[in-house]
Amino acid sequence: MRVLLTGAAGFIGSHIHAALRARGHDVVAVDLMLPAAHGPGAQPPAGVRRVDVRDAAGLDLLLPGVDVVCHQAAVVGAGVDAQDAPAYAGHNDYGTAVLLAAMDRAGCGRLVLASSMVVYGEGLYRGPDGIVEVAGRRSDDLAAGRFEHRRHGVALTWAPVPEDTPARPRSLYAASKVAQEHYATAWAAATGGTVTALRYHNAYGPGMPRDTPYSGVAAIFRSALAAGRAPQVFEDGRQMRDFVHVTDIAAANVAAVEAALPGVEPLNICSGQPITIGDVARTLAAAHGGPEPVVTGAVRSGDVRHIVADPARARQVLGFTARIDPAAGLAEFASAPLRPAAAGVTVG
Ligand code: UD1
């Protein structure tokens, strides 16, 4: 198949590029090479062209003959402050809108979209009487070390999040990922196109960008260990996530490109094996040979307590099951190469 891959030089995009080529696909690989992600003056790697997805004329040259677009180009991270809003809106929302219009002009009707578990916001919780809607946690609870969501004084437990959970974006990045999904859904309705939106959970693996304010926690812990510092585990370390290896994310994209699912299909892309942040730190530290993590009790503003994926639908409709167990994958990640940090918001 002929595939237009955007964000092909990023952490996730470069793994997808390799996986698509290994399957014999004809990949038109593009990346903007933003200095904020790749460093000043960075040139595209071999086989990747410098293209901005906001450049309609540039896309018009590339899209004829393309069967499916695999859209990974995005400004990532949670957003540090309001000054990041235009970058998210420009690269993510507007870039997707320009791409969708160009796909319509070229008669390309299939989109595989990089989405994120951040669309779910707080995640899903269960009380004694079933599933409970939660808002943000109270600052007096957090200050007193009561980290779990509570209802009538009773701590709630996490539940796996299925894809039909309503979107509740809590950050600028999350707002842009929800917007991308909504634009793509409206485009599909208007054109008869199809969209597979892959909601990545916590990605990690070789080539992950180093520690920046925008990095995921695996890179932050990994960078601390490399510098001989103890990973700082916030809250009580019992907050739960699903860590999915970047080669599994690449495999899910290849499956989505090849499966050509009908309609609009959002799918959790996860390992299906949730792990606490404390165990992530302990696994990395043990494999690295120390130093031991420190559980600080600190609370980072805007953090959600638990977010755990339900992997069932991706298995049913895409036949996707992650191959890498987080315990093994994180132990290997303890000595995997990272990509050098760039100064600003990163582009995947
Ligand atoms: C992260 C990303 C989100 C991305 C998602 C999926 C950020 C800020 N968040 O969400 O954009 O879409 O993964 O890949 O980039 N923690 C520590 N010590 C630290 C740093 C963090 O204990 O030094 C804890 C946090 O308090 C949190 C957990 O680790 O409980 C996960 O943090 P992080 O990976 O940054 O954010 P997510 O909320 O999982």
Side-chain angles (χ1 to χ4, degrees), residues 78 116 118 173 201-202 214 217 232 234 239 241 300 303:
S116 170
V118 292
Y173 173 61
H201 285 252
N202 293 66
Y214 301 85
V217 70
Q232 306 284 303
F234 299 153
Q239 58 273 43
R241 296 289 190 280
R300 196 172 62 175
D303 269 349

Side-chain angles (χ1 to χ4, degrees), residues 76-79 116-118 171 173 200-203 213-218 220-221 231-235 239 241 243 277 298 300 303-305 307:
V76 300
S116 170
M117 56 73 150
V118 292
S171 68
Y173 173 61
Y200 308 152
H201 285 252
N202 293 66
Y214 301 85
S215 299
V217 70
I220 293 174
F221 287 166
Q232 306 284 303
V233 179
F234 299 153
E235 306 187 16
Q239 58 273 43
R241 296 289 190 280
F243 281 78
I277 296 300
R300 196 172 62 175
D303 269 349
V304 304
R305 176 60 176 168
I307 179 134

Side-chain angles (χ1 to χ4, degrees), residues 96-113:
T96 300
V98 173
L99 176 63
L100 292 168
M103 288 172 68
D104 182 45
R105 285 193 296 279
C108 177
R110 290 189 50 215
L111 178 69
V112 174
L113 176 66

